[in-house]
Amino acid sequence: MSKAIRPRAVIIGMMGAGKTRVGKEVAHIMHLPFADADVEIEREVGMKIPAYFERYGEPAFRKVEAELIADYLEDFDGIFSLGGGAPMTASTQDALASYIEDGGRVVYLDADPAEAMERANRGGGRPMLNGDANARWKMLFAQRDPVFRSVANVHVHTRGMTPQGAARKVIDMVSQRTVHVTGTSIDPYDVAIGQGAMNHLADVLGDKPVRVALIHTQPVQRHSDRARALLRQSGYEVSDIVIPDAESGKTSAVANGIWERLGEEGFTRSDAVVGLGGGAATDLAGFVAATWMRGVRYVNCPTSLLAMVDASTGGKTGINTPQGKNLVGSFYTPAGVLADTKTLASLPNDIFIEGLGEVAKSGFIGDPEILSLLEAHADELRAFNGADFLGTPLENVVCELIERTVSVKARHVSADLKEKGLREFLNYGHTLGHAIEKLEHFRWRHGNAVAVGMVYAAELACILGYIDRDLVDYHRTLLASLGLPTSWHDGSFDDVLALMHRDKKARGNELRFVVLDSIGHVVHLDNPPADAVREAFERIQH
């Protein structure tokens, strides 16, 4: 059976939101056909919609509308605009949900109410606005807005924008990849991946915050300048807070200094935090957001590959102590994550490559297709050069790797926000990895330490009969092909063992490891024999 031809985007919104005008503009720029459901219905029934309403009533109209929309969702390769009330029909909601599951983009065009009402009144011919048009519009908006928000997976604010500006924003957003993170104890949020993702900062923050603390490091000044400009254009008061780079920024002293700033500048519970930078910066920003007034809204703008695939998503926030990494922290989910691939253009090769350690980890524990992509593109990935990265086929590969890696993390986080079971599997390679980082005084980057930690976990699993030697060798070969380290020989076993006993997975005096028993299948290994733990360590020393 041939696969359905799906629209590139479906546009929904209130009457007067500009769905037809903006949709036509999007289609024109993208060189795609455009279809308006209302126009197609009039062609099918042979009369204008107001006349059809008057003769047959709204239920008959909604039935015709739902059937036509279902047909177009299965057989139209373009931009498709729906009538204002169409998403209120249950069968259309189901059809749109199926379309989204197949990778579709349902765009809620959220216009300024005053602008939309004025356009709706000017257009005329709207049977749903008979009587006091503005009062009817407001009543319908109150009914429809929550439904539109739940039906759509792309939300575009168009207040004060020209149709051309709104169209460019729609194209920007539908061209990006989105991973929706949800769960029983999680406020749902989206991870947007692609060029221009940071442009949606105000959309994610919303209109409640007055003040925004922009927490970033000095090396990402170019990107923080852009974020600050976007925030100020949207009317927020911005407090610019620069923190030390990398792990030296994740301390109680740095956090305390930020709390003092927030207090002095009058930050309230309705204000917000934006964390911009690598994984350490987003960890700290999230921790500050979680603890200030017991929790304020925050958005992560990761600027490194590692932060995009790991630290920015999942709601783990924290700081380091002299005794270990991330021992103080909170589970607190962001309002959104904006992984703008433009920021990768300024990334040095070695910092990009360390991020591949976390990408490979997600492949080993949950998505073998990640490993296939890494194998197929290992040479290009290892030779990454930010200066000529954007707009190349490699950018699409990296976007897919980010999307797949975040999806693996989202599946684990959704089922186990507070790391009591399934989420611990995300720590594959981390038991030794964290020990290496500590013993190297954080001179080793996280992704590199995790790469060695995965080889260690594979060796341990092999010694104990969980996997065969071929899978251990595959770990070593794949990671080395990406430019990641696979051995470490600068510390004593006793020092490593003491730190592994402090690992968050440890239970009492018993060590606990995460190991594979096959690719994509992870198990807990509790209290393994001491001689096996030592032998695996000896094997990663050469």
Side-chain angles (χ1 to χ4, degrees), residues 128-150:
M128 295 301 290
L129 294 184
N130 288 342
D132 184 337
N134 283 358
R136 288 279 299 161
W137 193 98
K138 289 175 183 175
M139 183 193 74
L140 290 169
F141 177 76
Q143 294 170 355
R144 293 176 178 180
D145 178 64
V147 175
F148 290 173
R149 289 173 184 272
S150 66

Side-chain angles (χ1 to χ4, degrees), residues 412-452:
H412 287 75
V413 169
S414 297
D416 178 26
L417 176 65
K418 298 195 173 179
E419 203 166 32
K420 292 188 169 72
L422 185 65
R423 184 172 183 159
E424 281 193 341
F425 293 155
L426 292 168
N427 287 319
Y428 185 55
H430 285 57
T431 306
L432 178 69
H434 281 163
I436 291 173
E437 288 180 89
K438 184 76 174 67
L439 291 170
E440 291 285 357
H441 305 288
F442 299 109
R443 288 188 297 265
W444 265 56
R445 294 198 165 271
H446 177 72
N448 293 345
V450 167
V452 176

